[in-house]
Amino acid sequence: VEAIVESARQRLFPTGSERLAWVESAIAQREAARAAKNWTQADALRDALLGGGVELRDGREGTTWRPQLSASP
């Protein structure tokens, strides 16, 4: 499964692309909002990323992301 996710990530968000730059920027902004405990902004950024086809996963080592592989019901 991880190989499929990584393949999709490289295909949909190629290195150096504007789309990848947008994802990285939005995640950095979200991390700053979370650090400032600005939950409204953090949630809005998460929703914008999800709308752009990006799933976020928050864990002990920070936020990771992957392309959204399934459509929402």
Side-chain angles (χ1 to χ4, degrees):
V1 173
E2 289 303 315
I4 293 169
V5 170
E6 187 56 32
S7 176
R9 182 176 179 162
Q10 291 175 4
R11 183 173 38 83
L12 296 170
F13 302 91
T15 300
S17 69
E18 286 183 28
R19 193 163 186 209
L20 179 60
W22 172 76
V23 169
E24 291 172 343
S25 175
I27 289 172
Q29 291 173 42
R30 182 174 176 267
E31 288 175 349
R34 287 175 53 125
K37 298 186 191 272
N38 185 341
W39 310 120
T40 301
Q41 183 181 14
D43 289 347
L45 288 160
R46 181 198 61 226
D47 292 344
L49 284 159
L50 189 57
V54 177
E55 290 181 12
L56 297 179
R57 295 179 180 220
D58 296 315
R60 291 182 185 190
E61 296 180 18
T63 301
T64 59
W65 68 275
R66 67 185 215 171
Q68 184 180 16
L69 299 178
S70 61
S72 298

